[in-house]
Structure formats: structure tokens, C-alpha cells
Amino acid sequence: VHPDPGALETALRAAQRGDVAAFNTLVVAYQRQLYNVCYRTLGSPDDAADATQDALLSAFRGLRTFNGPASGLRAWLLRVAINACYDHLRRRQRRPTDSLDALGSNDPDQESSIADRLADPGLGPEQRSLGAETARNIQEAIDRLPPDQRLTVVLCDVQGLSYDEAAQAMSVELGTIKSRLSRARAQLRDLLVEKGELPAASQRLQERNP
Amino acid sequence: VNDHLADEVLSAHIDDQLSPAEALSAHAHLTVCAECQARLEELRSVVVLVRNMPSLEPPREFALDPRPVGAPSNVIRLRRWYAVVRVGAASLAAAFVILSVGTLYVDSRPGATPLTAASKGAPAPLLAPDGVTTASAPGAENAAGPTAPAQAARQAAPAAAQAPGGGAAFAAQSTPAAADAADQVAAATSIRPLPTQAPTPQSTSQPFIATPVPAPQVDSAAPLRVAAAIVGVLTVVALFVAVLMRHRLRAAPLRTE
């Protein structure tokens, strides 16, 4: 849902003056995308919800530092969300029992809850066309990427951001996005071939060119 | 044919992010290299898979609750400064009252020079201690001194600045600026109710007056008067800033008090 630019600008300015109600209209407009970025990055619904809430809270507190036009708000909010995700990842690293791998295939509860969500009947038709099994395998592959590559692929391919917007959101150069994205895609290709999600022909090609 | 295309080139090619020259050479290579073509298709199918990842419904609403959020930093800062400015304005106002009373006390002592004092210190007493600026009309002083001779009142009215220093607590002092000494004496003695004051007000610009008061040239209240004037101006400024800040805070919808 893309909000009307004029209303967005008005809400942004009011929110910058501390109007929580105005900020909440921005929340409604962006929460789904922010949550999905956090979810794809963290791989856990609970962590994603926490990170989203943290991100929105710090976004509200720091909204005055955002002085660009409202069109740049999405990238700015995504950057705040990305920072919240990095914070969560760092916290996880400090707790070895709760590592990234534990959030992947080793945790049966986690797996089933993700599968339940993927089977959500509220999803659109083309989104449902991707099988729950396939979606889970892709998510697991994304989870195995290094954080920088993971975020880049989440922003560019899962969320469909342009290179420019992704560069803005991650505060890096355009070339960095380009190279991170290509490395992420290449690694995803290898992981998906491993999981049998890519055609067998590719697998044979992979064996020919290690 | 010798150099296969790098993953980065293939990846950028999928997103149309190659420069025209790069795109041209990539295209040239792809037409002759089945292997790179297969790699391109493979990478493209990865992108298609990832792009078709479902968008999930958030498990809850993330709207902020106004109460625990608290005010944003700018409002908190403004509120803090408002408190400082408010205390500052009150202190300045108190200092102004003390200085005004001090000035009037010094003026009222025997040997003081109220005429010079009043003409020099006109700006300061114009400010009442509560910060409200009052300028009395020339006609008002006629009412203050109803027993004054008509001639004195007439001469005093246009030129004098009336000073209701210290609010209503002090009797009005008339300041005739007329050159006629006799009229001055008449006006001053008839208007000023304080018996302790010199019967004949002195003006340093009138050297021909034989004065009964010894050494009246020194204006002992001058420093006080200057200080009162400065503090008075600062008080008004501080009050103005405080009012502005309060207005700004009212405009901000978050008030946690």
C-alpha cells in the first residue's frame, strides 16, 4: 500500500514535531515491509516483531534527524530496521546456544511456525504459488548468507528495492550493492542446487564447472 | 569466449544495471557461450524464486502507544529550556523589583537629586516589576497632583515623563522640565508629598540657582538606576522568550505532565 505523497509529507512533518498519531499513520504504511525485511533477515517471527518494534521506536525518537523529502522516508526507515536487525544478530552472537543455525533447520518448532505462516491463506495468488516447502528452503538458504549479503538480497530481491534505494538504506556505495548482491545470488544458487530447488540441468552444469 | 562472464556481470545484467558498453560485450559473449547463457538462466531462476517469496502479514500492529513512548528529544529539550527560562525570568523580575525599590529609596533620602534622577532614569521606571510595560500619559500626572498651580501643571505636562516606579506603592513624582525655576519650585513642592525631601529640587543645568541643599551634584542612585534598567529589559526579554516557548510547547501534542 503506497500512501498518497501529500498525506505522507504532512504526517511526516507532524510526526517530527512529536505527534504519535501522525507517526502511527506512517507505521501503518510501512510496518509490513519493515517486518518482512526483519523476518527475512532474522528468520524468526518473534525476533522480527521485536526488531520491527525497536526500529519504529528509535525511528520515532530520531525522526527529527531525517531531513530529506518524504520520498526518502522508506529507505530511511529500512535503514533503521536494518540497524535493529544487526543489533539482534549481534545479541545472538553473544549467546552461542541461540546461534543462527539453531534458528534454521535444527529447530522443529521454528520450522513448523514458519511453514504455518507460509501457508497463510491471506497471501496473494502469485505468492501462494511458491510452495511452502520451497519458500522454507529459500529462507533457510538466506539465513546461511553472511549478514551483509543477506540484507542486500532481502532488500533488492525479496523487497524489490532499486540498487539506489538499497544503497541508501544500507549507507553503502552502489558498487557495494552490486557486488554483494551478485555474491549473495551465487551463494543462494549453490545452496538451492544443494536442496534440489533448482533444475537438475543446472546441477550437472555445476558439477562440470566447480 | 576465453573469459566467461563473472557472476557480478550476470547478476547486474539481470537487473539491467550494466553500462551500455558492458551490456554490449556481455551480450556478445552470451550469444556464443552456451555455458554462460546457462549460468545466466540459472541465476535468473534464483532471483525469480527469491522475488516470489511471500510477503508475510505482521503478527501484530506496531503502532506506538503515546504514553510509554514519551516525548521526542526535541520536545524534551524544549521543555527543559522552558523551565530554565521561566526560573530565569522570575529571578530577573525579582531583581528588578529590588533594584527599583532600592533606587526609589536612595532617591527619597535627604540630599538626593530627584530631578536629575528622574530625567536620567526615565526608561527604567517605565517598566513595572511584573514585566508589563506601562507608559503613563502626560495627563495622568495632572490627576496625581491636583493641587499644583495651573501654570506648573501646564508646563510639566508636555515634557515630563511620569514614573510610577514600584507599581502603585510609591507616590507619583512629577518632573517638570521647564526652564523657569520658580515654576519648578512651585510644581515640585506642591506635587511631591514626601516631607523629607529637599524643598527645592536641583537641576545641574541651572547654575544660577542658589541652592539650600549641600552638594547635590552627585547622583548616588545612578548605578542602581542603570542596573534596574538593564535588569528590566532582560526581564521583558526573558518573559517574551518564555511566552514563545510555552506557545511552542502547547503546539506540540505530547504533554506528559
Side-chain angles (χ1 to χ4, degrees):
Chain A
V1 183
H2 274 280
D4 152 53
L8 192 64
E9 188 79 39
T10 313
L12 170 62
R13 299 305 160 210
Q16 283 181 322
R17 289 193 300 270
D19 188 337
V20 179
F23 183 75
N24 282 340
T25 66
L26 301 176
V27 171
V28 169
Y30 293 112
Q31 62 181 357
R32 188 182 179 118
Q33 186 162 31
L34 297 178
Y35 172 77
N36 273 275
V37 167
C38 292
Y39 176 75
R40 295 301 175 199
T41 308
L42 299 173
S44 142
D46 291 341
D47 283 0
D50 286 352
T52 307
Q53 194 71 78
D54 291 352
L56 286 168
L57 206 61
S58 53
F60 180 67
R61 295 217 167 105
L63 198 60
R64 216 170 62 108
T65 64
F66 173 76
N67 44 22
S71 57
L73 184 63
R74 183 167 81 143
W76 187 80
L77 286 174
L78 283 170
R79 181 158 71 209
V80 177
I82 287 163
N83 288 335
C85 287
Y86 276 127
D87 284 348
H88 269 257
L89 291 173
R90 268 195 291 276
R91 244 174 282 162
R92 256 186 225 173
Q93 272 176 347
R94 270 184 248 128
R95 289 173 302 176
T97 49
D98 193 17
S99 73
L100 280 177
D101 290 330
L103 289 158
S105 53
N106 301 342
D107 187 346
D109 290 344
Q110 189 70 45
E111 209 170 317
S112 65
S113 86
I114 292 172
D116 287 348
R117 277 169 201 289
L118 294 177
D120 187 341
L123 300 172
E126 76 277 281
Q127 289 166 340
R128 225 182 308 167
S129 69
L130 200 64
E133 178 70 19
T134 303
R136 200 185 61 207
N137 281 333
I138 297 169
Q139 179 63 52
E140 281 176 18
I142 291 173
D143 287 345
R144 291 215 208 147
L145 297 176
D148 288 341
Q149 290 180 25
R150 192 187 318 167
L151 272 165
T152 311
V153 87
V154 164
L155 290 179
C156 291
D157 285 344
V158 181
Q159 295 297 321
L161 262 65
S162 70
Y163 283 28
D164 274 325
E165 218 177 351
Q168 228 181 317
M170 295 191 73
S171 329
V172 296
E173 298 291 316
L174 204 72
T176 310
I177 293 291
K178 228 184 223 183
S179 65
R180 276 183 192 171
L181 189 58
S182 76
R183 271 180 283 142
R185 284 167 171 175
Q187 208 168 334
L188 283 179
R189 174 195 61 203
D190 297 347
L191 290 165
L192 291 175
V193 163
E194 218 173 89
K195 287 177 184 289
E197 292 293 344
L198 281 180
S202 312
Q203 237 165 328
R204 281 200 302 275
L205 192 78
Q206 199 64 29
E207 283 154 13
R208 265 211 320 264
N209 302 288
Chain B
V1 184
N2 302 334
D3 292 335
H4 286 305
L5 294 176
D7 281 339
E8 189 164 341
V9 173
L10 294 175
S11 168
H13 182 66
I14 290 168
D15 298 319
D16 282 327
Q17 292 285 329
L18 290 175
S19 71
E22 285 173 321
L24 213 65
S25 75
H27 192 76
H29 180 83
L30 284 168
T31 49
V32 296
C33 179
E35 195 174 315
C36 281
Q37 218 169 355
R39 284 172 56 221
L40 177 67
E41 288 318 308
E42 193 178 39
L43 214 52
R44 206 196 293 277
S45 54
V46 170
V47 173
V48 167
L49 278 176
V50 176
R51 285 207 178 136
N52 279 318
M53 291 282 275
S55 166
L56 303 183
E57 196 62 53
R60 56 185 163 95
E61 287 289 312
F62 293 106
L64 302 185
D65 184 352
R67 278 164 299 148
V69 165
S73 57
N74 55 330
V75 175
I76 290 169
R77 219 174 307 132
L78 185 65
R79 204 175 283 151
R80 204 174 297 146
W81 277 109
Y82 175 59
V84 171
V85 169
R86 211 166 41 173
V87 170
S91 315
L92 282 168
F96 176 70
V97 169
I98 291 164
L99 284 168
S100 302
V101 170
T103 306
L104 287 160
Y105 173 72
V106 172
D107 278 348
S108 68
R109 282 188 313 189
T113 54
L115 266 187
T116 341
S119 57
K120 276 184 185 171
L126 277 176
L127 302 168
D130 62 353
V132 181
T133 305
T134 56
S136 61
E141 75 202 48
N142 287 342
T147 56
Q151 190 194 12
R154 228 185 308 121
Q155 290 192 342
Q162 176 69 10
F170 291 87
Q173 294 183 344
S174 165
T175 312
D180 191 285
D183 283 340
Q184 279 187 359
V185 171
T189 48
S190 59
I191 291 172
R192 192 179 298 101
L194 298 173
T196 55
Q197 280 175 331
T200 307
Q202 294 304 305
S203 170
T204 50
S205 62
Q206 304 286 330
F208 63 89
I209 295 180
T211 168
V213 182
Q217 280 81 11
V218 180
D219 181 6
S220 53
L224 274 178
R225 234 184 297 281
V226 171
I230 292 169
V231 171
V233 169
L234 288 177
T235 306
V236 171
V237 169
L239 282 167
F240 181 68
V241 170
V243 167
L244 272 186
M245 287 176 120
R246 195 168 74 148
H247 180 76
R248 193 77 183 72
L249 276 175
R250 283 267 166 83
L254 270 176
R255 296 174 57 79
T256 50
E257 285 106 48

